[in-house]
Amino acid sequence: IAIITYVQFQGISDAVSKSAGTYNLELTIIDPDATNATTCSVAFIADSSTATASYLNNFSTQTVTFPAGNSANQKIVFTISNNGISEFPKKTFLQIQNVNGGTSARAGTLSKFRLTITSGIDNSYYVNLPQGHTSDTLKAALHNLIKNQIKYPYTDNSSSTSIDVWKMLRAADEDPKNFNNVIGIYSGLSIAKDPQDYWNREHVWSKSHGNFGTETGAGTDGHHLRPENPSINSAKSNLDFDNGGSPVPNAPGNKYDIDSWEPRDEVKGDVARMIFYMDARYEGDQGELDLKIVDYIPSSPNKEPLYGKLSTLLKWNLQDLPDDFEMNRNNVIYFYQNNRNPFIDHPEWVKSIWGDPPTGMQKDFIISDYKLNQNYPNPFNPETVISWQLPVSGYVTLKIYDILGREVA
């Protein structure tokens, strides 16, 4: 019986920021021919893509060779072009073609790969924001900016092109590694988009805190609605946010008790910035609720429009800075609603409005190793913030290199 050699991609999709510089795409081989090398080409598929080849630095077809009898993965490397534009994620498709080698070689099941190109901050959104604000005037200026949004219903099945919360979350919370799935905010689970029985829409600012339900506005604002497994969403209920408690079943890293919920470390900052957004966005004008963050829990025993715990949320904002997923999500919701979460673009504005976390924060986070964090914002012009931690005090020398390895600062 002739052995068939298959060549395919290692996965079906991924996402990469425009600022990444380069991208490595791996291919695998199954049952390589013992005496003949196996070759294939990887081509850009223009008619499937929403991006042109220019997003991949004018990608041209590349040839991949697997040596005879060698089952090691091979890869192609290409450049991600940064056009400096903040926009809705662009999708590029790459296809394995012309597989040859041995008596029988062909492309495997995973022969088409989708790479999503994501953007960073759109600072043009804030170009008319007055300078020199106090905490109150900055919050008022941001409110006047972000209150201008397009509002969508919670559910709209009137047509295949109608937009509702379901549609926004399917795009904004898509799993970069599997575009058929969404990521649960607390669990981190990759959940199939269809059928929608497997996930529902979690109000991070719980709808009972103000009793706004799913009414258009606060109840349907995509900036604080996230996918989650129904059982975990139910366990979260309307709890405030704070540290501590018992482990949440089927949601590693999450804890809860009678009055609070602690999310996994990877989304602590995401949660905090969503709550800060809701406070700044809904200030009691336009017939809307006046939502407020307070520093006590339980914050809303009688459905008051309050959420806690401020001191903890301030810490989480610093502990977990925005990553590519959160920034891309901000861009997607902006595409639909035409407003942004300013605290994702500028997490330093949290301190400007609500102040520093209480003294003694270091007692909660004992530094035990060296860590250099991703700079933020990225890309940037003209400045960025680089943070690091050291387990001991000492002098630090920081050198910055460009993507060609040249020292620039």
Side-chain angles (χ1 to χ4, degrees):
I1 298 174
I3 295 177
I4 301 175
T5 298
Y6 291 98
V7 175
Q8 61 184 16
F9 294 115
Q10 196 165 27
I12 65 170
S13 65
D14 199 4
V16 62
S17 170
K18 290 179 182 177
S19 62
T22 58
Y23 185 81
N24 297 330
L25 178 56
E26 291 208 1
L27 292 82
T28 66
I29 189 169
I30 302 171
D31 292 327
D33 189 89
T35 57
N36 298 285
T38 302
T39 62
C40 69
S41 58
V42 178
F44 174 78
I45 309 299
D47 58 354
S48 299
S49 302
T50 60
T52 63
S54 64
Y55 281 77
L56 305 183
N57 196 34
N58 295 319
F59 184 94
S60 58
T61 300
Q62 295 193 31
T63 299
V64 179
T65 300
F66 291 87
N70 192 328
S71 59
N73 288 358
Q74 301 296 318
K75 66 181 179 181
I76 61 170
V77 181
F78 49 88
T79 301
I80 306 297
S81 298
N82 190 350
N83 59 10
I85 301 172
S86 183
E87 57 191 336
F88 193 75
K90 294 290 187 177
K91 296 175 176 57
T92 62
F93 285 89
L94 300 170
Q95 181 83 49
I96 294 174
Q97 300 176 341
N98 305 317
V99 183
N100 294 290
T103 57
S104 182
R106 63 190 67 173
T109 304
L110 306 181
S111 62
K112 194 172 186 178
F113 185 85
R114 193 184 87 173
L115 183 65
T116 300
I117 312 297
T118 66
S119 304
I121 300 169
D122 182 6
N123 273 316
S124 65
Y125 182 71
Y126 307 101
V127 68
N128 294 320
L129 198 69
Q131 301 299 308
H133 283 294
T134 64
S135 61
D136 290 339
T137 58
L138 174 58
K139 186 180 180 186
L142 289 174
H143 168 71
N144 288 329
L145 178 63
I146 64 179
K147 72 179 182 181
N148 299 307
Q149 72 177 89
I150 301 170
K151 300 176 182 179
Y152 295 101
Y154 197 58
T155 302
D156 183 355
N157 296 320
S158 60
S159 74
S160 60
T161 59
S162 59
I163 299 173
D164 60 9
V165 170
W166 285 118
K167 187 167 186 177
M168 284 195 289
L169 300 195
R170 288 168 71 95
D173 293 281
E174 184 176 274
D175 182 353
K177 299 293 185 182
N178 186 346
F179 57 80
N180 297 309
N181 292 7
V182 290
I183 298 292
I185 174 65
Y186 304 126
S187 64
L189 294 171
S190 183
I191 309 168
K193 291 180 180 178
D194 296 305
Q196 288 178 171
D197 302 340
Y198 298 147
W199 59 285
N200 55 19
R201 296 159 289 184
E202 152 70 356
H203 289 78
V204 175
W205 184 294
S206 299
K207 53 185 181 287
S208 66
H209 287 238
N211 199 30
F212 50 74
T214 58
E215 66 186 31
T216 302
T220 64
D221 194 322
H223 280 299
H224 86 114
L225 280 151
R226 301 293 291 266
E228 190 47 272
N229 172 279
S231 65
I232 296 171
N233 192 347
S234 178
K236 161 56 172 62
S237 186
N238 62 353
L239 295 173
D240 287 290
F241 291 109
D242 199 6
N243 292 313
S246 303
V248 178
N250 303 313
N254 294 261
K255 298 177 182 178
Y256 67 155
D257 55 27
I258 193 171
D259 57 14
S260 69
W261 181 278
E262 178 184 352
R264 57 194 174 99
D265 289 346
E266 294 84 355
V267 296
K268 279 185 166 69
D270 306 52
V271 166
R273 287 179 283 274
M274 285 185 277
I275 298 298
F276 289 125
Y277 163 85
M278 293 295 284
D279 185 315
R281 167 61 187 85
Y282 297 96
E283 290 278 79
D285 54 357
Q286 305 181 123
E288 297 173 336
L289 287 167
D290 185 7
L291 304 182
K292 295 292 183 186
I293 306 172
V294 295
D295 199 31
Y296 55 83
I297 56 174
S299 65
S300 181
N302 297 302
K303 300 185 178 181
E304 297 90 343
L306 307 174
Y307 227 104
K309 188 176 181 184
L310 175 60
S311 55
T312 300
L313 295 169
L314 289 170
K315 295 176 184 179
W316 289 356
N317 177 56
L318 296 176
Q319 180 184 348
D320 170 40
L321 292 175
D323 56 18
D324 286 345
F325 187 92
E326 189 180 2
M327 287 189 283
N328 177 62
R329 189 180 196 282
N330 200 20
N331 287 327
V332 174
I333 299 299
Y334 177 42
F335 173 83
Y336 286 108
Q337 295 189 172
N338 201 38
N339 76 334
R340 302 182 67 81
N341 181 338
F343 307 113
I344 295 175
D345 294 332
H346 292 279
E348 71 277 9
W349 286 346
V350 170
K351 174 182 176 180
S352 299
I353 295 173
W354 286 278
D356 286 307
T359 57
M361 173 183 172
Q362 290 76 15
K363 294 179 181 179
D364 296 330
F365 307 106
I366 299 174
I367 298 174
S368 59
D369 58 3
Y370 299 86
K371 184 177 181 181
L372 176 64
N373 297 311
Q374 171 70 49
N375 68 299
Y376 188 85
N378 184 24
F380 64 92
N381 184 19
E383 62 185 25
T384 190
V385 175
I386 301 174
S387 60
W388 67 90
Q389 67 180 34
L390 301 173
V392 295
S393 60
Y395 293 100
V396 174
T397 299
L398 184 65
K399 295 182 179 181
I400 301 175
Y401 298 84
D402 65 16
I403 61 174
L404 299 178
R406 298 173 298 193
E407 184 174 337
V408 295

mmCIF file of all heavy atoms in Angstrom, residues 45 118 146 154 170 175 182 191 199 245 259 264 329 345:
data_model
loop_
_atom_site.group_PDB
_atom_site.id
_atom_site.type_symbol
_atom_site.label_atom_id
_atom_site.label_comp_id
_atom_site.label_asym_id
_atom_site.label_seq_id
_atom_site.Cartn_x
_atom_site.Cartn_y
_atom_site.Cartn_z
ATOM 1 N N ILE A 45 -3.794 34.363 -1.131
ATOM 2 C CA ILE A 45 -5.055 34.202 -1.858
ATOM 3 C C ILE A 45 -5.815 35.520 -1.802
ATOM 4 O O ILE A 45 -6.486 35.841 -0.819
ATOM 5 C CB ILE A 45 -5.901 33.061 -1.257
ATOM 6 C CG1 ILE A 45 -5.062 31.793 -1.111
ATOM 7 C CG2 ILE A 45 -7.139 32.825 -2.108
ATOM 8 C CD1 ILE A 45 -4.516 31.272 -2.427
ATOM 9 N N THR A 118 -4.076 43.080 13.016
ATOM 10 C CA THR A 118 -4.773 43.987 13.933
ATOM 11 C C THR A 118 -4.015 45.306 14.084
ATOM 12 O O THR A 118 -2.813 45.394 13.823
ATOM 13 C CB THR A 118 -4.967 43.348 15.317
ATOM 14 O OG1 THR A 118 -3.685 43.170 15.937
ATOM 15 C CG2 THR A 118 -5.659 41.998 15.195
ATOM 16 N N ILE A 146 -17.008 60.108 24.392
ATOM 17 C CA ILE A 146 -17.419 58.714 24.192
ATOM 18 C C ILE A 146 -18.928 58.513 24.241
ATOM 19 O O ILE A 146 -19.422 57.447 23.851
ATOM 20 C CB ILE A 146 -16.730 57.779 25.209
ATOM 21 C CG1 ILE A 146 -17.149 58.087 26.645
ATOM 22 C CG2 ILE A 146 -15.213 57.863 25.066
ATOM 23 C CD1 ILE A 146 -16.506 57.166 27.690
ATOM 24 N N TYR A 154 -30.044 44.410 21.857
ATOM 25 C CA TYR A 154 -29.458 43.211 22.466
ATOM 26 C C TYR A 154 -29.547 42.037 21.499
ATOM 27 O O TYR A 154 -28.584 41.289 21.330
ATOM 28 C CB TYR A 154 -30.202 42.905 23.761
ATOM 29 C CG TYR A 154 -29.480 41.963 24.693
ATOM 30 C CD1 TYR A 154 -28.211 42.266 25.175
ATOM 31 C CD2 TYR A 154 -30.090 40.787 25.128
ATOM 32 C CE1 TYR A 154 -27.558 41.420 26.047
ATOM 33 C CE2 TYR A 154 -29.448 39.925 26.006
ATOM 34 C CZ TYR A 154 -28.169 40.251 26.458
ATOM 35 O OH TYR A 154 -27.526 39.399 27.321
ATOM 36 N N ARG A 170 -19.186 38.266 18.375
ATOM 37 C CA ARG A 170 -18.619 37.236 17.502
ATOM 38 C C ARG A 170 -17.380 37.763 16.782
ATOM 39 O O ARG A 170 -16.444 37.005 16.504
ATOM 40 C CB ARG A 170 -19.663 36.775 16.485
ATOM 41 C CG ARG A 170 -20.784 35.927 17.081
ATOM 42 C CD ARG A 170 -21.929 35.757 16.092
ATOM 43 N NE ARG A 170 -21.555 34.883 14.997
ATOM 44 C CZ ARG A 170 -21.809 33.578 14.939
ATOM 45 N NH1 ARG A 170 -22.458 32.990 15.941
ATOM 46 N NH2 ARG A 170 -21.448 32.852 13.915
ATOM 47 N N ASP A 175 -11.556 34.043 18.766
ATOM 48 C CA ASP A 175 -10.320 33.372 19.149
ATOM 49 C C ASP A 175 -9.317 33.510 18.002
ATOM 50 O O ASP A 175 -9.567 33.027 16.898
ATOM 51 C CB ASP A 175 -10.593 31.897 19.438
ATOM 52 C CG ASP A 175 -9.367 31.139 19.893
ATOM 53 O OD1 ASP A 175 -8.253 31.699 19.872
ATOM 54 O OD2 ASP A 175 -9.514 29.956 20.280
ATOM 55 N N VAL A 182 -15.137 31.890 20.001
ATOM 56 C CA VAL A 182 -14.924 33.105 20.784
ATOM 57 C C VAL A 182 -14.238 32.708 22.090
ATOM 58 O O VAL A 182 -14.271 31.549 22.499
ATOM 59 C CB VAL A 182 -16.241 33.852 21.079
ATOM 60 C CG1 VAL A 182 -16.812 34.474 19.819
ATOM 61 C CG2 VAL A 182 -17.260 32.936 21.758
ATOM 62 N N ILE A 191 -14.701 28.838 22.805
ATOM 63 C CA ILE A 191 -16.058 28.305 22.715
ATOM 64 C C ILE A 191 -16.578 28.475 21.294
ATOM 65 O O ILE A 191 -16.454 29.551 20.704
ATOM 66 C CB ILE A 191 -16.993 29.039 23.700
ATOM 67 C CG1 ILE A 191 -16.398 29.066 25.115
ATOM 68 C CG2 ILE A 191 -18.377 28.406 23.717
ATOM 69 C CD1 ILE A 191 -17.107 30.011 26.067
ATOM 70 N N TRP A 199 -22.602 29.588 24.720
ATOM 71 C CA TRP A 199 -22.115 30.804 25.373
ATOM 72 C C TRP A 199 -23.224 31.855 25.409
ATOM 73 O O TRP A 199 -24.175 31.796 24.647
ATOM 74 C CB TRP A 199 -20.873 31.356 24.678
ATOM 75 C CG TRP A 199 -21.033 31.726 23.220
ATOM 76 C CD1 TRP A 199 -21.109 30.877 22.152
ATOM 77 C CD2 TRP A 199 -21.139 33.042 22.658
ATOM 78 N NE1 TRP A 199 -21.247 31.568 20.976
ATOM 79 C CE2 TRP A 199 -21.263 32.912 21.248
ATOM 80 C CE3 TRP A 199 -21.135 34.327 23.208
ATOM 81 C CZ2 TRP A 199 -21.372 33.997 20.396
ATOM 82 C CZ3 TRP A 199 -21.241 35.430 22.347
ATOM 83 C CH2 TRP A 199 -21.363 35.257 20.956
ATOM 84 N N GLY A 245 -11.278 34.565 47.823
ATOM 85 C CA GLY A 245 -12.394 33.652 47.681
ATOM 86 C C GLY A 245 -11.942 32.251 47.351
ATOM 87 O O GLY A 245 -10.756 31.920 47.404
ATOM 88 N N ASP A 259 -19.631 37.936 48.215
ATOM 89 C CA ASP A 259 -19.885 39.289 47.702
ATOM 90 C C ASP A 259 -18.904 39.768 46.635
ATOM 91 O O ASP A 259 -18.974 40.926 46.211
ATOM 92 C CB ASP A 259 -19.915 40.309 48.854
ATOM 93 C CG ASP A 259 -18.640 40.304 49.681
ATOM 94 O OD1 ASP A 259 -17.628 39.726 49.227
ATOM 95 O OD2 ASP A 259 -18.647 40.874 50.783
ATOM 96 N N ARG A 264 -9.271 35.803 36.496
ATOM 97 C CA ARG A 264 -7.906 35.320 36.261
ATOM 98 C C ARG A 264 -6.982 36.501 35.964
ATOM 99 O O ARG A 264 -7.413 37.560 35.495
ATOM 100 C CB ARG A 264 -7.881 34.316 35.111
ATOM 101 C CG ARG A 264 -8.444 34.831 33.801
ATOM 102 C CD ARG A 264 -8.701 33.705 32.804
ATOM 103 N NE ARG A 264 -9.379 34.205 31.608
ATOM 104 C CZ ARG A 264 -8.783 34.494 30.458
ATOM 105 N NH1 ARG A 264 -7.477 34.319 30.323
ATOM 106 N NH2 ARG A 264 -9.473 34.952 29.423
ATOM 107 N N ARG A 329 -9.834 44.388 20.285
ATOM 108 C CA ARG A 329 -11.255 44.405 20.650
ATOM 109 C C ARG A 329 -11.785 45.835 20.688
ATOM 110 O O ARG A 329 -12.904 46.113 20.248
ATOM 111 C CB ARG A 329 -11.438 43.725 22.010
ATOM 112 C CG ARG A 329 -12.873 43.503 22.361
ATOM 113 C CD ARG A 329 -13.089 42.827 23.695
ATOM 114 N NE ARG A 329 -14.449 42.338 23.748
ATOM 115 C CZ ARG A 329 -15.507 43.112 23.998
ATOM 116 N NH1 ARG A 329 -15.333 44.394 24.252
ATOM 117 N NH2 ARG A 329 -16.720 42.601 23.987
ATOM 118 N N ASP A 345 -6.767 52.637 25.446
ATOM 119 C CA ASP A 345 -5.794 53.426 24.696
ATOM 120 C C ASP A 345 -4.820 54.145 25.625
ATOM 121 O O ASP A 345 -3.632 54.285 25.303
ATOM 122 C CB ASP A 345 -6.508 54.452 23.822
ATOM 123 C CG ASP A 345 -7.336 53.810 22.717
ATOM 124 O OD1 ASP A 345 -6.981 52.700 22.289
ATOM 125 O OD2 ASP A 345 -8.342 54.413 22.294
#
